[in-house]
Amino acid sequence: MNRILLSIVLLIGCIPTYSQTELNDSIIEHIVKNERRYFDEITEIYNSNDPMLHVDDVALVYYGQAFLPQYNPGKDENEKALKKLYEGKRYNEIYNTAKKILAYNPVSLNALFSIYIASKELGKDQEECLSYLKKYQNIIDMICRYGNGKSSETPFRIITPDDQEYIMFGKLQIENVISQTLDTETQCNIVTVKPSGKFTGQRVYFDISLFLSQASRE
């Protein structure tokens, strides 16, 4: 995991942490299921990297994925393939596979991170490279606005456990993970870590309730 640490730090190390704001899953679910046209319009704005995009719009697109029929974290075959391709530095295949993922899941941090690296290695147009970086940064920025990871009352809220890595190794610059447990009462992954200069605590809390809700329906 430390292999990608430096790259992630370079991508998001300068992103500021905002004050915590409350999320409302009920409102997000209602918009996705009953105001789909609006949700799709906001998703298009997000995809276009519109400079007027608000952090709450990023939250709608990101957390809204959990209420879509195709939401399938941990079981998506393209996501599984992408991880193996990245390990092998097969950049053409990484690029093409990540493109497929982003067509139906535009907030996949795995895909955005991988395609940014691959597009740079392949010499793609700078504007295209930066478009992936911008989306990636917007999501990390948003997650950090809604929590600080210091307790189960202020966790980082994520839609797939995979996203933990990008918060810990990038934003928090944590190098050593000791253990991880799931608190079924709070529905938080509690990760015990060696403190870093960016995170002085010994435990990082990640709310994975949306992920667990999906798993419980299967």
Side-chain angles (χ1 to χ4, degrees):
M1 193 57 62
N2 288 337
R3 177 179 57 80
I4 66 172
L5 174 60
L6 178 59
S7 295
I8 302 178
V9 169
L10 292 175
L11 291 185
I12 64 174
C14 62
I15 297 175
T17 301
Y18 294 89
S19 59
Q20 184 187 349
T21 303
E22 185 177 356
L23 285 168
N24 191 316
D25 289 343
S26 297
I27 292 176
I28 293 174
E29 182 177 14
H30 174 83
I31 291 173
V32 172
K33 294 183 176 180
N34 300 290
E35 300 179 38
R36 185 58 182 271
R37 183 175 178 180
Y38 174 75
F39 177 76
D40 290 343
E41 287 175 352
I42 297 299
T43 301
E44 287 183 18
I45 294 172
Y46 158 83
N47 281 329
S48 69
N49 284 321
D50 191 312
M52 299 302 291
L53 185 71
H54 192 275
V55 66
D56 292 336
D57 296 329
V58 179
L60 173 61
V61 178
Y62 178 80
Y63 295 109
Q65 300 302 309
F67 302 106
L68 293 173
Q70 65 265 31
Y71 175 68
N72 193 28
K75 298 181 180 180
D76 185 281
E77 293 302 321
N78 287 324
E79 291 270 8
K80 292 178 182 179
L82 182 63
K83 293 177 183 179
K84 293 181 179 179
L85 292 170
Y86 193 88
E87 290 174 0
K89 299 182 179 180
R90 296 157 63 178
Y91 295 116
N92 271 309
E93 293 174 83
I94 290 170
Y95 181 86
N96 292 330
T97 302
K99 274 279 194 181
K100 290 180 184 178
I101 295 170
L102 294 174
Y104 57 82
N105 181 8
V107 299
S108 167
L109 289 181
N110 286 330
L112 288 168
F113 176 82
S114 299
I115 199 170
Y116 171 70
I117 299 298
S119 62
K120 288 191 68 176
E121 292 290 336
L122 295 171
K124 298 291 184 181
D125 180 78
Q126 184 180 24
E127 184 176 352
E128 179 184 356
C129 297
L130 292 177
S131 72
Y132 305 127
L133 175 60
K134 182 63 175 178
K135 293 181 182 70
Y136 181 89
Q137 290 178 324
N138 279 341
I139 294 169
I140 298 294
D141 185 350
M142 179 277 298
I143 292 172
C144 291
R145 171 176 180 170
Y146 290 112
N148 58 28
K150 294 181 179 180
S151 71
S152 58
E153 286 76 38
T154 61
F156 293 119
R157 302 195 68 231
I158 53 178
I159 60 174
T160 171
D162 282 351
D163 291 351
Q164 291 178 186
E165 298 177 6
Y166 299 101
I167 299 294
M168 288 193 297
F169 298 104
K171 178 65 180 176
L172 305 182
Q173 298 180 17
I174 290 169
E175 297 186 26
N176 296 302
V177 172
I178 299 170
S179 64
Q180 175 177 298
T181 59
L182 172 64
D183 184 334
T184 55
E185 182 177 352
T186 63
Q187 297 189 313
C188 283
N189 271 344
I190 305 174
V191 187
T192 302
V193 302
K194 182 178 179 180
S196 71
K198 296 288 186 178
F199 191 82
T200 58
Q202 295 183 324
R203 294 180 179 83
V204 190
Y205 292 77
F206 293 93
D207 181 338
I208 60 168
S209 57
L210 291 175
F211 169 79
L212 293 174
S213 294
Q214 171 68 14
S216 69
R217 293 198 292 266
E218 299 178 354

